Amino acid sequence: MANNSYSGVKNSMVEANHDGEFGCTLNELRALMELRGAEAIVKIGESYEDIKGLCNRLKTSPIDGLSGQPGDIEKRKTVFGQNLIPPKKPKTFLQLVWEALQDVTLIILEVAAIVSLGLSFYRPPDAERTHCGRAAGGVEDETESEAGWIEGAAILLSVVCVVLVTAFNDWSKEKQFRGLQSRIEQEQKFTVVRGGQVIQIPVAEIVVGDVAQIKYGDLLPADGVLIQSNDLKIDESSLTGESDHVKKTQEKDPMLLSGTHVMEGSGKMLVTAVGVNSQTGIIFTLLGTSEDDEEDEEEKKKEKEEKKKQRKTQDGAAMEMQPLNSDEAEAEEKKKSSMSKKEKSVLQGKLTKLAVQIGKAGLVMSAITVIILVVLFVVDTFCIQGLPWVKECTPIYIQFFVKFFIIGVTVLVVAVPEGLPLAVTISLAYSVKKMMKDNNLVRHLDACETMGNATAICSDKTGTLTMNRMTVVQAFIAEKHYKKVPEPENIPSSILDMLILGIAVNCAYTTKIMPPEKEGGLPRQVGNKTECSLLGFSNDLKRDYQAIRNEIPEEKLYKVYTFNSVRKSMSTVLKMADGSYRMFSKGASEILLKKCYKILTANGESKVFRPRDRDDMVKKVIEPMASEGLRTICLAYRDFPVSEGEPDWDNENDILSGLTCLCVVGIEDPVRPEVPDAIRKCQRAGITVRMVTGDNINTARAIATKCGILLPGDDFLCIEGKEFNRRIRNEKGEIEQERIDKIWPKLRVLARSSPTDKHTLVKGIIDSTVLEKRQVVAVTGDGTNDGPALKKADVGFAMGIAGTDVAKEASDIILTDDNFSSIVKAVMWGRNVYDSISKFLQFQLTVNVVAVIVAFTGACITQDSPLKAVQMLWVNLIMDTFASLALATEPPTEALLLRKPYGRNKPLISRTMMKNILGQGVFQLITIFTLLFAGEKFFDIDSGRNAPLHAPPSEHYTIVFNTFVLMQLFNEINARKIHGERNVFEGIFNNLIFCSIVFGTFIIQFVIVQFGGKPFSCVALTIDQWLWCTFLGFGSLLWGQVISSIPTSRLKFLKTAGHGTQKEEIPDEELDELSDNDEIDHAERELRRGQILWFRGLNRIQTQMDVVSAFQSGTSFQGALRRQASNSSQQQHDVTNVSSPTHVAFTATTTTATAANTASATVGCECVFSSSA
């Protein structure tokens, strides 16, 4: 199979037999990694005797790892490949230009311009001119009639500009996305042993022969063979589709595969395959994500058939990767994909719906404009003048019709708000870039916008609200409660020795205390912080835990029961010299004390520990510690004498009973100093903060009070996981939403909670209908077990420092400093995105309304649009590209946190905004129409109305155009405020982009008017005329003040716009179809109904969505690989739904991401390509 599965891949690896250097070839190792379970063990035995033999062949040591010399590492990279998958080549600028040219509105304009060009060169004999009606005649001298080609050429030129701007935008977005991807890849590190030292190296630097340390929560970066393990369980569902965790041991199943998750335990593995040669890499390459995916799909199909045959001929060990291409899996996948389709982004849905509505209106207006123009012309020429249709006049009439058509198209161009998706993308991309500085690494673009609507945050305690720097501050040892760490001489030496031995061996060997980086600093804590506090305790007792670890290396530990959320404890078994066993345990005090039946006394002897003694201890020791906000951990041990024979280690309940309590320690984890303030800001902003922790309820309550989550005199709930479960389940043990609804509004602290409780709570709050607004929930998590809750939440925050790879994978945003106050910054940026887009909408719609009405009425009354096609395109450029840049890059202010969240159903355009849009629209229309119909008298110039076909540009129409543009420029300053604030200049100089764009636009406008000439239908204006135009433009600002003085509440007729799709609006038959889905996908539903595929705006939205979905669909190559099947199908849908059939929705970014996504899923190639076709 090895060769076959790779038949289509032209690998850059050297595949020759390097017997001279290493004792096994790349192909041998690849063939080995195809095997599972018993087969693999037999193969290793036959070929290499055992794992040590394989290590020798690969010139590495199972204990010290590789030497780490650069020469050796480079040689391994050459022979066995690097640990990265080559990304797909990005699209070239020309490809992007070609894509932008596919835009239907642009194509219509191009055709119109070419026809106009062709006809302008046709010269009918002058004599006949007079027969063709009034409009065709008219005063035209030679030079002007020769300049008839200019309008067509100018339209073509402006089309070129629009195309280049669009292509450049797409290109820079792609570049940004790749930058983000590589940044995340560089940040990913993994622990390996080199030269006997445990070091962390970037994932891409791992080579074949490395000995990697793996632990709970890791995502394996390469394939390998297990050397040593403690209670190791792996989730291989990303490769095999099997959801059960697979137990890995050296004896039964030592094969570890890249892209799989460590769900429990720890161990060491020898890396045997990296990059494109690992199992995930092979699937990836089959999906064609690496450089050469141009081969035929036919070849791929053949490949699949052969692969299937081969699979069938193999004996198929238990964990065979068989579901990868099986048809049932594919069918199952399709079923899943239809189920898991969730509405991705609230904002995107509202915008799509709004764009379609505006587009429909624009289409109707442009059609009416063309019809009216044609009818007026025909009636005037053939009825009023009563002329017959003369053959020679046909080209002239056609020229008129083309002119009308061009006017119609320009009305459409102006009406369709294709700048919307651009504004969204710019705003999101800009925010994401800036959020990096605020310690928020955004993995999914839309999470940033959703965060602005957050109404609830369910936060972890440890590390997020607290500093995650734990120290033992109190201890109960030998029947005495010490309020600070005791001196070693006060503790009986027998107890002290036992305690230090227990701490040294029963903490993960990956956890250690390192010397401080700076002199006088605090020692560095590496690994699990609770364990670090215990190791620090042993140092405080003047004992060296490292000496014990050197004496008893990890390989010598007889058995380890690692910590998990069910056990809530960790135990390590040592085999003593006399053949007996001793087990050390540590865990949550109230849980472990129930399993103790003896306790060590002051003289070092053990005495019976009755339930009564336990209750006493809880009251006198544990509760006082907890009420001070300390975590209490119990340390205990148990001896298994030789006489009883070897215990049954798999019967955990028996093993973990009859313990002897050594001591109970109180661990302090101080609250981060900036957290109380951050929580106050959240509460002021209308966001409820809840604490969900695994800690004791008293500790949790004490910390919650310090943070300000619990306020004195508040009516709140503070309960444990058990009580929570009891209250939300009915007699049959099923969870009922009504029961959850009684609890969550008052719940502030959920203590001793399991990961399932966290997931249940998040799901319960999201599904709740108690409040009229649907709750938007953010969740923080760091452990592997937080994955489901992070995925279920609207926005999942994973910890960048303490978080496991699995948690990061399930999250939307990674907090690079693990700090709660960074979440508040994310809320600010999210709200800012929403406001930026509303600002842009307010500006854009004003321009749209005015431009469309002016073009429409002007065309109907004067049979010629006062704003020419080229001028319209320039206005379009100002209001789309430039305005979206200027308004979408406003930095957030603290003021954003003073209002309540908008909620999911709030319309994009509020009544205040509608007041501003209509108010400014009325002012601009009055000004423009006054200038249009009375301007020539006011300025004492010739009228520009009723000019013949190729008439020269007039001063009159130039003034109209110039005033129109200047009014937009001043209105852009008005648009900076959307909540009716009076001071529109506030903070304007904080946004240099805004200032430079407004200033730059003014300069370009000046150049166009003074030197644009015929192509722009402009004439140079005098200083007086410029001053009048500027004064009228400035009127927008003054008028803006008048509008803000009118209270919105008085204007009852104002409506809001830009709602998401409500369930009530959907016909029943469609609702049935949608009933399987979690939520309604606004965008898809709107498109299904409208099918207005050739709107320029939607075509752009599609391109933007591609990028957004690329951001969503994972980040680094590993990130992409680790997506779960359901997610991949969901992403697939997200891309294809919004794409119009005029495009195949498989642009560069999506291919990288979506194909990568699908790689980890159990989906064959056909599925990927067919769903996008």
Side-chain angles (χ1 to χ4, degrees):
M1 161 163 179
N3 296 342
N4 220 24
S5 64
Y6 234 53
S7 58
V9 180
K10 303 181 281 293
N11 224 341
S12 54
M13 312 297 158
V14 185
E15 295 212 3
N17 189 338
H18 287 266
D19 275 335
E21 297 165 30
F22 300 106
C24 40
T25 65
L26 178 63
N27 282 342
E28 280 173 26
L29 288 174
R30 272 200 18 214
L32 173 65
M33 292 318 295
E34 299 287 347
L35 307 173
R36 304 280 174 277
E39 279 187 14
I41 291 172
V42 171
K43 174 78 175 153
I44 292 174
E46 285 172 6
S47 309
Y48 315 106
E49 291 175 22
D50 59 8
I51 307 235
K52 286 206 174 69
L54 179 56
C55 289
N56 293 340
R57 295 263 193 114
L58 287 172
K59 301 192 172 170
T60 182
S61 147
I63 292 164
D64 293 339
L66 296 176
S67 62
Q69 287 165 346
D72 178 43
I73 303 291
E74 281 312 310
K75 193 189 292 174
R76 287 172 192 274
K77 282 185 185 171
T78 315
V79 178
F80 298 112
Q82 280 187 302
N83 195 22
L84 41 92
I85 287 179
K88 192 174 163 52
K89 285 196 188 86
K91 285 196 171 172
T92 61
F93 189 68
L94 286 175
Q95 281 171 308
L96 292 169
V97 167
W98 177 244
E99 266 173 29
L101 276 169
Q102 310 300 308
D103 187 40
V104 183
T105 324
L106 288 182
I107 292 171
I108 297 173
L109 272 177
E110 286 155 25
V111 172
I114 290 165
V115 173
S116 162
L117 264 179
L119 290 172
S120 69
F121 291 117
Y122 173 76
R123 290 273 159 273
D126 270 337
E128 260 105 69
R129 263 290 173 86
T130 46
H131 307 316
C132 302
R134 277 199 298 266
V139 246
E140 253 198 34
D141 58 37
E142 272 313 291
T143 53
E144 275 157 10
S145 64
E146 279 166 15
W149 60 272
I150 290 183
E151 185 164 15
I155 291 179
L156 282 181
L157 186 72
S158 53
V159 165
V160 169
C161 283
V162 171
V163 166
L164 289 176
V165 168
T166 311
F168 179 74
N169 275 327
D170 290 347
W171 177 79
S172 56
K173 275 183 309 204
E174 171 126 343
K175 197 167 143 231
Q176 237 176 1
F177 167 60
R178 287 182 182 266
L180 181 72
Q181 206 169 6
S182 61
R183 172 172 169 157
I184 289 173
E185 272 172 23
Q186 286 157 10
E187 282 193 351
Q188 232 168 349
K189 295 227 164 49
F190 209 76
T191 312
V192 296
V193 182
R194 283 193 181 168
Q197 294 292 314
V198 178
I199 55 167
Q200 283 208 324
I201 58 169
V203 165
E205 291 299 311
I206 293 175
V207 291
V208 170
D210 257 324
V211 173
Q213 284 197 348
I214 56 175
K215 60 181 189 309
Y216 156 81
D218 280 344
L219 236 152
L220 301 185
D223 290 357
V225 181
L226 197 58
I227 301 176
Q228 175 260 323
S229 71
N230 303 319
D231 200 16
L232 189 64
K233 286 187 185 157
I234 305 277
D235 172 10
E236 291 189 345
S237 58
S238 55
L239 281 180
T240 62
E242 300 287 337
S243 56
D244 295 341
H245 297 171
V246 186
K247 198 166 171 60
K248 296 283 181 184
T249 57
Q250 294 90 302
E251 299 75 41
K252 292 203 179 109
D253 183 2
M255 309 312 268
L256 300 170
L257 306 173
S258 58
T260 57
H261 298 136
V262 182
M263 299 312 279
E264 240 177 76
S266 60
K268 281 185 186 172
M269 77 166 182
L270 168 69
V271 176
T272 52
V274 293
V276 286
N277 300 306
S278 65
Q279 289 303 300
T280 321
I282 291 172
I283 302 171
F284 229 64
T285 324
L286 283 176
L287 283 171
T289 319
S290 84
E291 287 158 351
D292 20 57
D293 62 339
E294 267 68 66
E295 334 113 51
D296 256 27
E297 280 185 39
E298 289 306 309
E299 264 184 61
K300 288 189 175 147
K301 277 182 192 158
K302 271 187 221 154
E303 221 167 82
K304 274 178 68 183
E305 291 310 311
E306 285 176 38
K307 242 175 128 187
K308 263 188 212 171
K309 278 181 210 153
Q310 280 224 331
R311 287 254 166 78
K312 281 171 190 159
T313 54
Q314 285 184 356
D315 296 334
M319 276 292 149
E320 185 62 7
M321 278 169 59
Q322 209 238 331
L324 180 64
N325 290 323
S326 67
D327 298 330
E328 305 93 272
E330 222 160 280
E332 187 60 31
E333 198 47 50
K334 282 186 181 146
K335 215 189 271 173
K336 261 195 213 161
S337 69
S338 64
M339 289 290 294
S340 70
K341 197 161 62 191
K342 246 179 90 177
E343 160 202 32
K344 246 320 177 215
S345 155
V346 187
L347 184 63
Q348 213 78 35
K350 290 178 184 174
L351 281 176
T352 310
K353 192 174 174 188
L354 192 66
V356 172
Q357 288 166 342
I358 297 171
K360 282 179 185 170
L363 189 62
V364 172
M365 289 292 274
S366 65
I368 295 174
T369 310
V370 174
I371 293 166
I372 289 178
L373 284 171
V374 171
V375 170
L376 276 175
F377 175 75
V378 171
V379 169
D380 181 52
T381 308
F382 300 119
C383 300
I384 297 173
Q385 296 178 42
L387 293 174
W389 183 293
V390 190
K391 198 176 172 192
E392 295 86 85
C393 293
T394 308
I396 288 181
Y397 296 146
I398 289 177
Q399 243 172 320
F400 268 103
F401 292 144
V402 169
K403 179 181 169 186
F404 298 153
F405 182 64
I406 289 178
I407 291 170
V409 172
T410 33
V411 171
L412 177 65
V413 169
V414 174
V416 173
E418 68 276 55
L420 270 188
L422 188 66
V424 178
T425 314
I426 289 177
S427 183
L428 286 176
Y430 171 78
S431 306
V432 165
K433 216 171 176 176
K434 292 286 187 193
M435 282 167 82
M436 289 242 189
K437 291 187 181 144
D438 285 340
N439 303 310
N440 282 285
L441 182 76
V442 180
R443 294 182 65 240
H444 300 160
L445 256 185
D446 63 334
C448 153
E449 160 246 319
T450 313
M451 202 51 215
N453 287 325
T455 54
I457 299 174
C458 294
S459 172
D460 267 3
K461 175 179 77 71
T462 309
T464 315
L465 300 173
T466 60
M467 288 168 81
N468 203 11
R469 187 178 172 86
M470 305 212 185
T471 39
V472 172
V473 289
Q474 295 190 18
F476 179 86
I477 306 180
E479 299 184 296
K480 188 161 180 216
H481 184 173
Y482 295 92
K483 290 283 186 178
K484 55 179 202 287
V485 177
E487 292 301 318
E489 43 277 11
N490 297 347
I491 302 171
S493 59
S494 60
I495 297 184
L496 188 58
D497 292 342
M498 184 97 81
L499 180 64
I500 303 300
L501 175 64
I503 289 175
V505 298
N506 193 30
C507 287
Y509 277 44
T510 46
T511 302
K512 41 187 177 294
I513 303 278
M514 308 282 277
E517 283 171 350
K518 292 197 274 296
E519 265 189 58
L522 293 167
R524 279 181 302 146
Q525 298 187 339
V526 180
N528 179 307
K529 297 296 189 274
T530 311
E531 294 185 336
C532 285
S533 69
L534 294 173
L535 295 177
F537 180 50
S538 111
N539 287 348
D540 292 342
L541 293 172
K542 318 277 189 295
R543 293 298 184 93
D544 181 14
Y545 68 88
Q546 195 54 52
I548 297 173
R549 287 185 170 185
N550 295 343
E551 203 179 302
I552 310 174
E554 204 171 357
E555 294 76 36
K556 285 195 186 167
L557 302 179
Y558 189 77
K559 179 146 186 70
V560 178
Y561 297 95
T562 49
F563 180 89
N564 65 25
S565 55
V566 180
R567 288 189 188 123
K568 291 234 186 267
S569 67
M570 172 179 175
S571 309
T572 302
V573 181
L574 297 178
K575 189 168 187 177
M576 310 307 274
D578 61 357
S580 65
Y581 300 95
R582 174 169 285 166
M583 176 179 78
F584 289 101
S585 295
K586 68 170 192 296
S589 55
E590 57 263 51
I591 292 171
L592 220 52
L593 280 176
K594 285 180 184 156
K595 299 179 177 171
C596 291
Y597 81 126
K598 284 184 176 174
I599 186 163
L600 293 180
T601 59
N603 56 8
E605 303 294 316
S606 60
K607 71 166 191 184
V608 179
F609 187 59
R610 299 188 192 83
R612 193 176 65 241
D613 303 331
R614 186 175 67 237
D615 296 341
D616 252 13
M617 187 160 168
V618 168
K619 275 202 186 69
K620 290 184 180 155
V621 179
I622 292 172
E623 282 180 2
M625 282 186 186
S627 62
E628 289 176 40
L630 305 184
R631 293 180 71 173
T632 55
I633 301 282
C634 172
L635 303 171
Y637 76 98
R638 177 182 175 182
D639 285 326
F640 298 94
V642 186
S643 54
E644 288 177 15
E646 181 154 355
D648 172 9
W649 297 114
D650 291 334
N651 184 350
E652 278 187 46
N653 286 342
D654 274 7
I655 298 285
L656 205 64
S657 61
L659 305 177
T660 304
C661 172
L662 267 169
C663 80
V664 173
V665 292
I667 297 174
E668 182 183 44
D669 185 6
V671 171
R672 287 176 181 267
E674 62 277 18
V675 162
D677 187 41
I679 287 179
R680 262 199 306 282
K681 281 182 187 165
C682 281
Q683 289 162 341
R684 199 171 56 215
I687 301 168
T688 311
V689 183
R690 294 181 174 83
M691 182 162 103
V692 183
T693 175
D695 246 342
N696 170 319
I697 189 155
N698 296 325
T699 311
R701 192 184 279 122
I703 299 276
T705 312
K706 281 182 190 170
C707 292
I709 292 175
L710 299 180
L711 300 170
D714 259 7
D715 180 19
F716 58 76
L717 259 184
C718 187
I719 56 177
E720 288 196 340
K722 267 188 190 159
E723 172 68 5
F724 175 68
N725 271 302
R726 192 182 61 71
R727 290 198 193 184
I728 62 171
R729 292 174 193 274
N730 59 17
E731 297 72 46
K732 294 178 191 159
E734 295 158 347
I735 296 172
E736 285 185 359
Q737 183 64 41
E738 299 86 76
R739 288 168 180 255
I740 297 182
D741 288 345
K742 285 181 188 153
I743 293 179
W744 75 259
K746 287 187 176 180
L747 182 70
R748 290 294 176 274
V749 176
L750 184 59
R752 281 279 174 251
S753 67
S754 69
T756 12
D757 297 340
K758 195 173 189 174
H759 182 259
T760 309
L761 176 66
V762 172
K763 186 175 183 308
I765 297 179
I766 289 177
D767 296 346
S768 173
T769 50
V770 181
L771 308 176
E772 76 255 48
K773 282 184 183 172
R774 134 118 157 74
Q775 294 281 301
V776 177
V777 183
V779 166
T780 68
D782 53 5
T784 303
N785 44 20
D786 291 327
L790 287 170
K791 254 199 167 34
K792 178 67 194 168
D794 294 291
V795 182
F797 286 91
M799 302 298 141
I801 303 166
T804 61
D805 290 354
V806 182
K808 289 179 189 170
E809 203 34 57
S811 69
D812 302 293
I813 298 179
I814 295 172
L815 294 177
T816 50
D817 63 347
D818 288 14
N819 193 337
F820 185 84
S821 59
S822 302
I823 299 178
V824 180
K825 300 234 176 78
V827 173
M828 263 166 68
W829 277 107
R831 293 186 172 190
N832 191 51
V833 167
Y834 210 91
D835 280 6
S836 296
I837 282 150
S838 295
K839 288 171 190 174
F840 173 70
L841 268 174
Q842 177 174 304
F843 173 70
Q844 165 128 41
L845 292 181
T846 311
V847 187
N848 273 11
V849 169
V850 175
V852 170
I853 294 176
V854 167
F856 174 71
T857 45
C860 297
I861 297 168
T862 66
Q863 283 155 56
D864 181 12
S865 170
L867 298 172
K868 301 290 181 284
V870 181
Q871 295 174 348
M872 288 279 215
L873 285 169
W874 162 236
V875 169
N876 217 27
L877 196 69
I878 299 179
M879 66 185 199
D880 281 353
T881 311
F882 294 159
S884 61
L885 251 176
L887 291 167
T889 53
E890 288 269 319
T893 58
E894 288 276 332
L896 288 166
L897 294 175
L898 298 176
R899 62 170 174 78
K900 298 278 177 270
Y902 282 148
R904 295 174 84 88
N905 299 330
K906 179 185 183 296
L908 278 171
I909 300 167
S910 63
R911 291 180 57 203
T912 306
M913 286 166 65
M914 197 57 98
K915 175 182 77 176
N916 294 343
I917 291 169
L918 295 177
Q920 287 292 344
V922 167
F923 170 75
Q924 294 189 9
L925 285 172
I926 292 171
T927 312
I928 295 286
F929 283 135
T930 310
L931 285 176
L932 191 57
F933 296 111
E936 70 271 29
K937 299 189 187 83
F938 180 77
F939 285 108
D940 193 20
I941 46 178
D942 294 334
S943 168
R945 296 192 300 280
N946 304 325
L949 190 61
H950 293 299
S954 63
E955 269 183 299
H956 182 194
Y957 273 18
T958 307
I959 289 176
V960 172
F961 165 59
N962 197 25
T963 307
F964 178 66
V965 171
L966 290 174
M967 283 196 294
Q968 306 320 326
L969 269 185
F970 284 105
N971 191 32
E972 198 166 335
I973 299 173
N974 274 331
R976 292 183 65 245
K977 301 292 175 199
I978 51 174
H979 298 300
E981 299 92 329
R982 279 192 173 279
N983 182 3
V984 290
F985 292 100
E986 187 191 346
I988 193 165
F989 295 114
N990 296 343
N991 187 356
L992 287 174
I993 301 179
F994 183 88
C995 300
S996 44
I997 282 179
V998 171
F999 188 65
T1001 313
F1002 183 80
I1003 292 198
I1004 299 172
Q1005 175 65 14
F1006 180 78
V1007 172
I1008 286 176
V1009 170
Q1010 297 303 95
F1011 311 106
K1014 184 90 192 197
F1016 281 97
S1017 312
C1018 287
V1019 180
L1021 299 178
T1022 63
I1023 290 184
D1024 279 5
Q1025 290 165 338
W1026 264 102
L1027 286 171
W1028 272 110
C1029 291
T1030 314
F1031 172 69
L1032 289 170
F1034 186 73
S1036 302
L1037 279 177
L1038 302 175
W1039 184 246
Q1041 293 299 314
V1042 174
I1043 297 174
S1044 57
S1045 308
I1046 306 169
T1048 314
S1049 51
R1050 290 275 176 86
L1051 307 172
K1052 296 278 185 275
F1053 60 87
L1054 289 177
K1055 294 276 183 288
T1056 56
H1059 298 262
T1061 309
Q1062 308 296 326
K1063 277 208 170 129
E1064 306 81 74
E1065 295 171 25
I1066 303 174
D1068 293 344
E1069 61 273 14
E1070 282 193 39
L1071 255 179
D1072 296 341
E1073 284 177 48
L1074 291 167
S1075 60
D1076 289 343
N1077 303 352
D1078 294 3
E1079 292 189 28
I1080 302 157
D1081 186 328
H1082 298 334
E1084 187 211 5
R1085 145 143 195 73
E1086 205 34 65
L1087 289 181
R1088 267 232 304 261
R1089 211 160 73 189
Q1091 292 299 326
I1092 308 175
L1093 297 161
W1094 55 282
F1095 273 178
R1096 187 171 179 189
L1098 295 191
N1099 243 338
R1100 294 265 182 94
I1101 282 182
Q1102 186 259 324
T1103 321
Q1104 257 81 20
M1105 286 292 244
D1106 284 353
V1107 174
V1108 173
S1109 77
F1111 266 102
Q1112 287 164 353
S1113 52
T1115 38
S1116 57
F1117 122 60
Q1118 277 94 350
L1121 290 179
R1122 301 164 195 158
R1123 289 307 238 198
Q1124 296 299 339
S1126 63
N1127 208 22
S1128 93
S1129 47
Q1130 173 178 330
Q1131 235 71 15
Q1132 207 80 28
H1133 271 258
D1134 257 307
V1135 181
T1136 46
N1137 284 343
V1138 189
S1139 63
S1140 60
T1142 51
H1143 268 42
V1144 174
F1146 227 43
T1147 44
T1149 30
T1150 20
T1151 322
T1152 324
T1154 330
N1157 250 345
T1158 322
S1160 68
T1162 54
V1163 186
C1165 304
E1166 290 164 46
C1167 177
V1168 183
F1169 296 107
S1170 63
S1171 75
S1172 304

